[in-house]
Amino acid sequence: MDVHLLFPSVTLVVILLLSSGAIAAEREATAVLEEAVLTLDTSNFSEVVAKHEFIVVEFYAPWCGHCKELAPEYEKAASVLRKRDQPVVLAKVDSFDESNKDLKDKYKVNAYPAIKIIRNGGSDVSDYGGPRDADGIVEYLKKQVGPASLELRSAGDADHSINDKRVVLVGVFPEFAGMEYENFMAVAGKMRTDYDFFHTSDVSVLPRGNQAVKGPLLRLFKPFDELFVDSQDFDKDAIKKFIEVSGFPTVLIFDADPTNHKFLERYYTTPSAKAMLFLHFSDDRVESFKSQMHEAARQLSGNNISFLIGDVSAADRAFQYFGLKESDLPLLLVIASTGKYLNPTVEPDQLIPWMKQYIYGNLTPYVKSEPIPGVNDQPVKVVVADNIDDIVFNSGKNVLLEFYAPWCGHCRKLAPILEEVAVSFQDDEHIVIAKMDGTANDIPSDFEVEGYPSLYFIPSNGEDVLPYEGERTAEEMINFINKNREPKAGASAAVEEVTQTDAVEEVTTSSSSSSASTKDEL
């Protein structure tokens, strides 16, 4: 999943009443701006990228709210960057267009917008990690185009470059040559999209740390924890690890500050237990909670636990994703391989004792389930955590199961298509079409649900779990079910399949055929 879609959009709607002359002028200006961003597709993508040592490409979807918010800022940035002495080209690709599916797959676009920085004619690709307003985009990309590391010649240079918003690595070298310097510059070239790199021959210009050292030395500045840390290991892998470990917060703050957002993907993808405290940052106990979470992280280090504090007003998508309730706040949640553990309405002084009980294995995992439906006679059956074994794994039937979220736009779009598939199989006692609200029920570990909707097919043996990654049309789903059902359909079933396919052909030709790999906002 693209980790940016975990955040709520902050939309500012401005209504302007303009005279006809002003409207005409605005349209003319818009037309000029629109020319600044190149429109790429399968037919011209490779040719255009090959011509540029540096190009930025946004993969978007026309219906995506975040993409719509970004569009005017991206256009303004493009109009500024193309006028530089060394122009920077910004481009865009409609990833929702099926003709561009190969591009979407090649660049691993799983959420929108996905912005890629492509260097050296396409041989070097990295994710854009900067702001999403025009001025921020311009400043960020100006740094990306220039040298990977800039020299700090004075204390003024250092004060301007080392701030309280980003992680900054400074290399201190007696001379800008030798193995240490070359390794530093090589790592800077690889990691420059996520971190700022500088070098100096005078350690005294730096704002913090021992100013008597001569180098070579690495000094990492950060806006959290101990504020700076040193290293003298100049092996390339050691430099990379030093940045990743020392440049990551002990306790990640999940709030509206965009400087924290780049850490979220790493937090959620790190193979560790996740301890997450959700509350309103307007709570007058918030500083006490933060202090206790940092102390818990310190005391419990070595237990493979990653810590996060989330402001519910900014992290509402994540809060919804985990199916949590406002009445549970403040809520401490641990998600581990052994299950999910909840401590609702927790107090600051209860955090560490409760976490220790989790480590000692004294807590019972919480299994969340909606009530089992009293009546379940609709074409698409309702599955909850408490009846998933009966309907899916132990029923002896072939089951197509959708995991959805009530707020998910893609899920709402899929609903009538899934209904159509269910109706087509309503006379087949060996097939079940079902759905499960992934926010209101715990999802078994048999399924890897990273976004909504997610579709899986479970043959009648109850042992296999097959992800459905085809097009979201009734025709394709019916074909997939008949191909993978157990026992295999015979000649009569083949005739039935043709009939079913014919029945839905007219409807599906007008349906969206987007890939199931594209998930909705989390």
Side-chain angles (χ1 to χ4, degrees), residues 191-465:
M191 303 182 71
R192 63 189 296 176
T193 55
D194 294 318
Y195 305 93
D196 292 338
F197 290 83
F198 298 93
H199 56 276
T200 186
S201 58
D202 183 3
V203 72
S204 68
V205 305
L206 300 181
R208 293 186 290 274
N210 184 354
Q211 296 188 342
V213 296
K214 300 297 183 183
L217 172 77
L218 297 172
R219 181 162 293 168
L220 185 142
F221 296 90
K222 50 187 175 178
F224 45 79
D225 299 340
E226 67 269 53
L227 300 183
F228 78 93
V229 60
D230 291 347
S231 172
Q232 291 183 300
D233 191 340
F234 280 87
D235 176 79
K236 290 180 184 178
D237 290 338
I239 296 173
K240 182 175 182 290
K241 183 175 180 180
F242 170 64
I243 296 171
E244 291 177 341
V245 173
S246 299
F248 194 83
T250 302
V251 178
L252 178 59
I253 303 298
F254 190 168
D255 59 9
D257 186 348
T259 59
N260 294 324
H261 294 174
K262 63 179 177 291
F263 298 116
L264 284 167
E265 180 176 2
R266 181 176 162 196
Y267 177 85
Y268 283 110
T269 56
T270 298
S272 63
K274 305 292 184 290
M276 296 175 282
L277 174 66
F278 290 101
L279 73 160
H280 288 289
F281 277 18
S282 57
D283 191 314
D284 58 9
R285 299 166 295 172
V286 66
E287 293 305 320
S288 180
F289 274 116
K290 289 181 178 180
S291 176
Q292 286 297 305
M293 281 292 276
H294 275 87
E295 181 61 21
R298 187 190 68 80
Q299 290 190 25
L300 305 178
S301 63
N303 288 282
N304 197 27
I305 303 173
S306 300
F307 291 83
L308 175 147
I309 301 177
D311 182 0
V312 174
S313 61
D316 60 342
R317 285 294 193 192
F319 195 70
Q320 292 176 17
Y321 179 73
F322 292 118
L324 308 177
K325 297 181 294 184
E326 181 82 14
S327 60
D328 291 334
L329 299 177
L331 174 71
L332 181 57
L333 167 70
V334 172
I335 296 180
S337 59
T338 54
K340 180 165 61 176
Y341 306 85
L342 271 68
N343 188 356
T345 61
V346 65
E347 294 292 334
D349 60 358
Q350 297 172 343
L351 295 181
I352 295 175
W354 188 83
M355 286 296 304
K356 288 181 177 179
Q357 291 302 308
Y358 157 73
I359 292 171
Y360 300 152
N362 294 336
L363 301 180
T364 301
Y366 169 76
V367 178
K368 178 179 60 178
S369 178
E370 293 180 291
I372 296 176
V375 178
N376 203 2
D377 57 1
Q378 296 300 307
V380 179
K381 307 304 178 187
V382 175
V383 172
V384 299
D386 287 344
N387 71 358
I388 191 168
D389 284 342
D390 294 335
I391 294 180
V392 176
F393 294 110
N394 301 329
S395 66
K397 298 183 179 182
N398 300 277
V399 182
L400 180 69
L401 177 61
E402 176 208 14
F403 295 97
Y404 74 95
W407 44 260
C408 162
H410 286 309
C411 303
R412 290 192 291 268
K413 186 176 181 180
L414 178 62
I417 298 173
L418 198 67
E419 181 88 5
E420 185 177 349
V421 174
V423 169
S424 72
F425 283 110
Q426 63 184 352
D427 295 328
D428 189 333
E429 62 181 9
H430 302 293
I431 301 292
V432 173
I433 311 300
K435 62 182 180 180
M436 181 178 187
D437 183 348
T439 69
N441 298 274
D442 280 343
I443 299 172
S445 59
D446 307 78
F447 306 96
E448 296 182 5
V449 177
E450 298 179 346
Y452 299 115
S454 288
L455 290 155
Y456 286 88
F457 183 73
I458 303 89
S460 58
N461 59 24
E463 299 175 359
D464 301 320
V465 175

